[in-house]
C-alpha cells in the first residue's frame, strides 16, 4: 500500500510540476541534457537546476509525509477492526456472510448453529477447494462447513476478518486469473470441483456482472453482497461470450490439467509444456493480450523441460487432488448425498476436524440443497432477477469447441498413463456425462 500511495502521489505532483514548467515553453531552448529552459533564465542555468532540485525535494518530502500519515491511519483502523472477537460475536447479516451450520441430533436429524472459526492457536489440517470460476464452489464448501461447523475462507479474502487467519477450508480459482495463492503454506490437501463448461462459463459471466467486471480487490469487496443475486441482460452475455469464449474454454481445460498434473506448468492455448516465467504471465489478469501470450509460447520452441509450479513444491506437499466432485451431482436429489461423501472421506480423521456422524450427513445435504438453508446466497438466489439460466446459449460452433475440449481431456485421462488413477477415472466419468448432455443440445439445434 505504501508503494501504491507513493506512486499515485508522485504521479499527481510530478504532473503538476511539469505543467508549471510548460508555462515557459514558448520562449525556451534546449540544453545538452534535453531540458527546455526559458530564455529569461538562460543566463542562470545553475540556479535553475538548484530550483528544480528544490522542487523535487519538496515533492518527495510531501509524498512521504502524506503516505506515512495514511498508513498510520489505515493501520489504526485495521488493528481496531480486526481485534473484534469473532469467535463470540456473530457476523451481522448485513455483511452477508453469516452461515448456519449443523450438529447431529441422532437418528439422521440435525440442528443449525452459528459457524465458528478454527482455533487459531491449535493445529488444523486444511483443505483447498479448487474450481474454475462459475463451478459452484460456494455450494460445495457449504457442505464442508455443514459437516464440521467450521467456517471456510476464500483466496481473495473478501470476508472482512479473513486476513491472516487460519481456515479449515479455503476455496480458490487459482491458477485462473481470478484467483491468487494467498494462503501460503496453510493448505494440506486439494479437492477438485468440476462442472460442465457449457454452464460454468455463463455462471462465471454472471459473477463478473455482479461484481462489475472487477479487476481489483476493492471493487470485488464493494460488490461482494451482489454475488448470486442477479443475471445480466442477454445482450451483455452475448458481448462477453463473443469476446472471451475462445480463451475461456481453453482456460477451463488448462485449469483441470493444472490440478490433475499436480501443478505442471502448461500453456493455455497449446497445452504444451511451458516455463515458469511464461506461466507467471499466463496467470496475470489483464497485463498480457492473448496474441502476446501465444507469441511468447511460440518463441520457447519445442524443447521445454517439465516444471512444477513453485507453490506445489514449496507451499504444499502435493497439488494433486485427493478427491474430486461434480457440482451437478452435488445438487441432484438422487446423487447429492453420495457425492458429498467424497468430501467426508477426504477430511475425516484429520487433525483439528470433527466431522458430523454419517447418519446425519444426508440431513446436512438436504437442509442446504433442498431447504435452501445456510443463510448465504447460492445458485437459486439468481432466479427471478434476470433471464432464466437456459436462455444463455452458445452458437453451434462454440458448443462444438466445448465438446472438443471435453474430448481432449477425456481421451487424455482415460489413456494408459491414468487408468490406475481413481481420481482420473472419476473425472473421465464426469466428462463423459457432460459430452452426452451437450450432444443432446447440439442435436436439438441441428
Amino acid at each position: 500500500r505504501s508503494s501504491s500511495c507513493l506512486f499515485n502521489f508522485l504521479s499527481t505532483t510530478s504532473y503538476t510540476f511539469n505543467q508549471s514548467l510548460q508555462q515557459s515553453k514558448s520562449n525556451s531552448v534546449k540544453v545538452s541534457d534535453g531540458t527546455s529552459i526559458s530564455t529569461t533564465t538562460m543566463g542562470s542555468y545553475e540556479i535553475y537546476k538548484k530550483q528544480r532540485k528544490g522542487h523535487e525535494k519538496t515533492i518527495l518530502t510531501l509524498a512521504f509525509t502524506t503516505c506515512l500519515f495514511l498508513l498510520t491511519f489505515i493501520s489504526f483502523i485495521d488493528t481496531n477492526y480486526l481485534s473484534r472477537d469473532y469467535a463470540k460475536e456473530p457476523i451481522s447479516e448485513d455483511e452477508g456472510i453469516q452461515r448456519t451450520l449443523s450438529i447431529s441430533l441422532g437418528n439422521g436429524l440435525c440442528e443449525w448453529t452459528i459457524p465458528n472459526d478454527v482455533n487459531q492457536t491449535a493445529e488444523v489440517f486444511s483443505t483447498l477447494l479448487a474450481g474454475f470460476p462459475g463451478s459452484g464452489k460456494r455450494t460445495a464448501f457449504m457442505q464442508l462447513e455443514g459437516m464440521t461447523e467450521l467456517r471456510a475462507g476464500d483466496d481473495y479474502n473478501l470476508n472482512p476478518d479473513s486476513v491472516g487467519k487460519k481456515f479449515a477450508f479455503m476455496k480458490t480459482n487459482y491458477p485462473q486469473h481470478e484467483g491468487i495463492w494467498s494462503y501460503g503454506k496453510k493448505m494440506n490437501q486439494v479437492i477438485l470441483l468440476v462442472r460442465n463448461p457449457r454452464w460454468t462459463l455463463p455462471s462465471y459471466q454472471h459473477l463478473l456482472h455482479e461484481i462489475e467486471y472487477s479487476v481489483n480487490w476493492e471493487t470485488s469487496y464493494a460488490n461482494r453482497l451482489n454475488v448470486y443475486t442477479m443475471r445480466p441482460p442477454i445482450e451483455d452475455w452475448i458481448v462477453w461470450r463473443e469476446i472471451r469464449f475462445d480463451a475461456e474454454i481453453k482456460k477451463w481445460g488448462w485449469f483441470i490439467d493444472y490440478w490433475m498434473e499436480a501443478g505442471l506448468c502448461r500453456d493455455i492455448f497449446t497445452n504444451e509444456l511451458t516455463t515458469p516465467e511464461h506461466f507467471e504471465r499466463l496467470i496475470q489478469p489483464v497485463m498480457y493480450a492473448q496474441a502476446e501470450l501465444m507469441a511468447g509460447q511460440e518463441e520457447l520452441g519445442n524443447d521445454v523441460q517439465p516444471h512444477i509450479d513453485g507453490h506445489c513444491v514449496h507451499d504444499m506437499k502435493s497439488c494433486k487432488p485427493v478427491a474430486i466432485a461434480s457440482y451437478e451431482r452435488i445438487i441432484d436429489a438422487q446423487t447429492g448425498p453420495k457425492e458429498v461423501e467424497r468430501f467426508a472421506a477426504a477430511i475425516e480423521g484429520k487433525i483439528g476436524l470433527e466431522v458430523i456422524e454419517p447418519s446425519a450427513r444426508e440431513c446436512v445435504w438436504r437442509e442446504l440443497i433442498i431447504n435452501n438453508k445456510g443463510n448465504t446466497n447460492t445458485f437459486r438466489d439468481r432466479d427471478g432477477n434476470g433471464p432464466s439460466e437456459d436462455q444463455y446459449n452458445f452458437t453451434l460452433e462454440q458448443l462444438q469447441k466445448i465438446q472438443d475440449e471435453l474430448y481432449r481431456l477425456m481421451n487424455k485421462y482415460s489413456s494408459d498413463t491414468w487408468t490406475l488413477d481413481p481420481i482420473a477415472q472419476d473425472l473421465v466419468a464426469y466428462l463423459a456425462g457432460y459430452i452426452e448432455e451437450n450432444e443432446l443440445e447440439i442435436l436439438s439445434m441441428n
Side-chain angles (χ1 to χ4, degrees), residues 382-427:
R382 283 175 173 154
D383 293 341
N385 192 3
S388 60
E389 187 71 11
D390 59 4
Q391 294 185 54
Y392 297 87
N393 296 319
F394 292 94
T395 66
L396 186 60
E397 180 183 4
Q398 289 166 343
L399 281 174
Q400 191 56 59
K401 287 183 178 180
I402 290 175
Q403 296 293 77
D404 291 344
E405 190 64 18
L406 290 169
Y407 272 114
R408 181 188 75 80
L409 291 169
M410 188 175 73
N411 291 336
K412 175 177 180 175
Y413 293 106
S414 59
S415 66
D416 292 343
T417 307
W418 295 90
T419 51
L420 298 180
D421 186 320
I423 304 298
Q425 297 317 299
D426 287 338
L427 173 62

Side-chain angles (χ1 to χ4, degrees), residues 360-395:
R361 291 172 191 171
E362 184 170 343
C363 174
V364 173
W365 174 86
R366 184 173 59 252
E367 290 293 271
L368 288 168
I369 301 298
I370 303 300
N371 297 331
N372 203 29
K373 296 286 183 66
N375 205 25
T376 189
N377 293 334
T378 59
F379 62 99
R380 289 194 180 95
D381 293 292
R382 283 175 173 154
D383 293 341
N385 192 3
S388 60
E389 187 71 11
D390 59 4
Q391 294 185 54
Y392 297 87
N393 296 319
F394 292 94
T395 66

Side-chain angles (χ1 to χ4, degrees), residues 318-355:
S318 173
C319 284
K320 180 73 164 61
V322 299
I324 187 171
S326 157
Y327 169 79
E328 290 85 357
R329 295 193 185 187
I330 289 174
I331 65 172
D332 184 86
Q334 300 300 316
T335 59
K338 184 177 180 180
E339 193 73 5
V340 170
E341 276 295 317
R342 295 172 180 268
F343 296 157
I347 63 175
E348 205 157 24
K350 298 299 189 290
I351 296 174
L353 301 180
E354 185 177 345
V355 183

